[in-house]
Every structure is written in structure tokens, then in C-alpha cells.
Amino acid sequence: MNRIVKWESPSNIALVKYWGKHNFQLPNNPSISFTLNNSKSITSVELITKQTKKVDFYFDNKLNTNFGLRIEKYLKNISLELPYINDYSFIIKSTNTFPHSTGIASSASAFSALAMCLINLNSEINNSIISIKEASNLARLGSGSACRSVYGGVSIWGETIDIDNSANEYAIPLNNEVNTIFKTFRDDIIIVDADKKSVSSSAGHKLMDTNPYSVEKYNQAFINVKLLYNALKNGNIGEFIRIVELEALSLHSMMMISNPSFILMKPDTLNIINKIREFRNDTSIPVCFTLDAGPNVHILYPDENKIKVQKFISSEMNNYRIINDFVGEGPLKL
Ligand code: PMV
């Protein structure tokens, strides 16, 4: 009988951003993220007797050769860590809970779900347990930000003297230290534009190598990780908001001063940002925004403010598709 395992794993949203890397997916600065709950990938991996073709990858039950090739390369890369990979061919089926074409980066959920399946199979075959840190390391080799998704709550990835046990090869969870207010934070994602990005994340990371401001940006991220870590511990929402918004705009500033320059925000991204700041000033409700490498706006706020914030969102942003998400528990075996 063929072996098959199935896992679901969520996406995550960075609060301090990873933008710029070296060697093989090693970050140039540490980053901190919230793992989400509803935006996830559900992935099954079936091992079959070795055949000429290494991987058949199905997304939404349709064969997807392009992503299949990316996975094949990934499996080759990690076969030193998981030698059983050399002995089988793979049927991999994946689907996302977030609707198609919503512009949500899915590589974090996709590669963390896949890494969980692969280490699960390894422990079945070799009767040995691989640590969650190793799962994070393997997810990183698929897509950098994926390494933060193997934990629920808050994760940090990237070595910094300010956080014990932090490492460039894998993420670690920060949950024990984090104030409860941040454990139930909400993230309403406003889909401003669902089209494929004009510049991919990999191209964006690469442009940091020649960006004259990159060293300043990395230094700023080290400082912001330290300050955000303290804010998360102390429950200091004002400081949280200041850093998270600064990080989002710094990320996009880097894109605008790369060579060649590029802009991923849309006019509506800025309109929404202004509305959020206005709403916060008028009501003193602690709500803020962040952006991924794209035009969509993540609106972050404590769960206790849900009714008022969602009323504001539905009155001011009712013409957009919205994904209501919140901080979640991390991957789950199905
Ligand atoms: O994991 P990648 O290579 O797709 O890069 C992700 C980069 C950002 O989403 C912009 C920031 C982050 O830390 O997740």
C-alpha cells in the first residue's frame, strides 16, 4: 500500500519584513510574523514506487506542471536531509482555503504544509522524529517566509543578539513571552488587486543586493525586531502600530528606490492606508495596516475591537473582496 499523509498549514503576515537574502534563502535581517488561521494550504503527499517522473503535482485537482517542477527541484535540494526522497516518486495534491486570485501570497502556506508532510513521512519510514526546527528549516528552503508558518502565534526568523536562540536557518516561536492581547489579533485583508505581481518576490529580494539603501534597511529591521519584541512582551499597542506601519512603508520604499524601481502599491492602497489612519485618529481604536509584497492591505487590530473596526471596513471598503482572518495555531495533521 502506498504511504500518504495530509497536512494543513497557514500563511503568515510579517510585522517586521524579510526583504533581501544571501546564499540559499538565508535572510539579511531578522523578521517577526503573525501566523494566520483561515488562509491555509491543504496538502497531501503520496509516495509511490519510483518511476521516471519524480513528481505529479495537482493544484485544485488539476495537474500543474510548472509548480511540479519547482517542487521537484525543492525535493532534490532537501534529499540530503531526507534521503528517503531518493527512493520514491511523489503524487502531491494541494488546495488553498483562500479563494483563487485574491493576491494572497501562498508560498508560505504551500511550503510549510509540504515540509510538514515530508517530515511526517520521514518519521514513518525511519521511525525517527524530526524536530519542528528542522521542519522550519526545510520549509525555508522552499520559500523563506514559509519557515515562520510551522508555528502558531508569533514567530521570529533570523539571528539577532536581542532574541535568545534566534537563527538564520529556521524560525522559533515567541509565544510564551507575548502579551495575550496579541494572541487573538485580527487581520482583515482588503483585496485591492488580485492580479499577478509585476515583480516577483525573488526578483525583489535580488534587487536589494544593489540597492544603495539596503544596509540602512537591514539595520533598521534589526532595531525594529528588538523594539517590536519588547512591545509584544509589554502589550504596548501604540509602539506595535508605529513599528508595523513603518516596516510596511519601508518595504515599499525599498521597491521604489531599487534599480530598476518598481511600485506594487495601487492608488487604492494609499487611500485605504489614509482611511485607517484617519479612523484611528478619530476613534483612538488601535488599528493599523501592513502590506506584503503587493497592493493588498492587511488591517490588524485586537479582537476586542472587532465590531467597530468591521463596521468601519464595511462602510468604507465595501467594494473590495475581504478575507477575515486572525492569529492561528499553526499546522495541523489531517
Ligand atoms: O518568502 P518570500 O521569498 O516569498 O519573501 C517574502 C517577503 C515578504 O512577504 C515581502 C516579507 C516577509 O517577511 O514575509
Side-chain angles (χ1 to χ4, degrees):
M1 214 183 68
N2 294 341
R3 278 182 199 275
I4 181 162
V5 296
K6 194 174 189 179
W7 280 77
E8 61 170 47
S9 186
S11 192
N12 67 74
I13 178 70
L15 305 168
V16 174
K17 311 290 181 182
Y18 147 61
W19 198 240
K21 59 181 172 180
H22 60 278
N23 294 353
F24 201 71
Q25 311 269 67
L26 293 172
N28 289 347
N29 63 259
S31 55
I32 294 186
S33 60
F34 279 150
T35 293
L36 297 178
N37 190 76
N38 297 335
S39 309
K40 19 186 186 193
S41 295
I42 299 163
T43 301
S44 68
V45 176
E46 184 176 358
L47 297 183
I48 54 171
T49 325
K50 200 169 170 186
Q51 295 170 356
T52 355
K53 196 162 175 217
K54 186 72 180 161
V55 176
D56 269 334
F57 175 73
Y58 296 83
F59 186 72
D60 281 348
N61 288 322
K62 279 195 222 92
L63 193 66
N64 183 325
T65 322
N66 276 348
F67 206 70
L69 288 173
R70 179 165 171 194
I71 293 181
E72 196 162 328
K73 208 166 138 201
Y74 169 65
L75 291 178
K76 200 167 162 214
N77 285 338
I78 63 168
S79 59
L80 263 185
E81 279 93 342
L82 304 178
Y84 80 89
I85 285 175
N86 297 319
D87 302 335
Y88 297 93
S89 286
F90 291 75
I91 296 175
I92 302 176
K93 294 183 179 164
S94 195
T95 182
N96 291 339
T97 54
F98 37 100
H100 254 320
S101 309
T102 45
I104 300 297
S106 55
S107 62
S109 54
F111 277 100
S112 53
L114 183 57
M116 295 310 289
C117 288
L118 294 172
I119 61 154
N120 188 172
L121 286 165
N122 182 72
S123 51
E124 282 185 12
I125 293 168
N126 297 322
N127 233 334
S128 64
I129 303 290
I130 286 187
S131 71
I132 188 78
K133 272 186 197 162
E134 186 52 24
S136 176
N137 179 32
L138 293 177
R140 171 184 64 84
L141 296 168
S143 167
S145 55
C147 74
R148 299 184 307 238
S149 274
V150 304
Y151 310 103
V154 183
S155 310
I156 174 181
W157 168 40
E159 192 176 346
T160 164
I161 49 164
D162 298 309
I163 301 183
D164 290 345
N165 304 318
S166 56
N168 283 341
E169 291 75 20
Y170 48 81
I172 56 168
L174 287 180
N175 296 317
N176 291 340
E177 300 107 293
V178 168
N179 186 286
T180 46
I181 188 102
F182 295 112
K183 293 188 175 169
T184 55
F185 242 63
R186 300 198 67 92
D187 179 6
D188 291 333
I189 310 165
I190 315 298
I191 309 302
V192 168
D193 189 335
D195 287 352
K196 200 170 182 287
K197 289 181 282 192
S198 54
V199 177
S200 70
S201 284
S202 351
H205 285 293
K206 191 133 194 46
L207 283 170
M208 284 299 276
D209 294 343
T210 51
N211 189 317
Y213 298 93
S214 59
V215 173
E216 279 309 313
K217 171 74 179 80
Y218 302 141
N219 289 340
Q220 183 197 40
F222 273 91
I223 293 168
N224 283 342
V225 157
K226 180 180 177 178
L227 296 176
L228 185 67
Y229 181 49
N230 286 332
L232 289 168
K233 284 195 291 193
N234 303 334
N236 187 341
I237 297 203
E239 180 72 342
F240 173 92
I241 289 173
R242 185 187 70 76
I243 299 164
V244 168
E245 292 193 346
L246 174 59
E247 274 290 320
L249 296 179
S250 291
L251 169 71
H252 283 261
S253 316
M254 285 296 115
M255 299 172 188
M256 292 194 246
I257 53 171
S258 287
N259 187 9
S261 59
F262 62 106
I263 302 175
L264 295 184
M265 289 190 285
K266 300 281 180 197
D268 281 10
T269 311
L270 290 175
N271 285 336
I272 293 171
I273 287 175
N274 286 333
K275 280 183 182 172
I276 294 167
R277 288 187 158 175
E278 225 172 85
F279 176 74
R280 183 169 74 229
N281 285 339
D282 291 349
T283 61
S284 298
I285 292 173
V287 50
C288 67
F289 68 86
T290 190
L291 306 168
D292 220 326
N296 304 318
V297 184
H298 290 246
I299 303 187
L300 303 173
Y301 54 94
D303 186 58
E304 65 194 31
N305 301 105
K306 180 177 159 186
I307 292 173
K308 284 188 180 151
V309 176
Q310 290 196 339
K311 198 166 155 220
F312 153 71
I313 292 174
S314 49
S315 75
E316 296 287 333
M317 294 157 215
N318 60 2
N319 45 337
Y320 302 101
R321 199 164 179 177
I322 296 170
I323 296 176
N324 300 111
D325 216 330
F326 51 91
V327 174
E329 306 271 305
L332 188 70
K333 184 169 182 184
L334 300 173

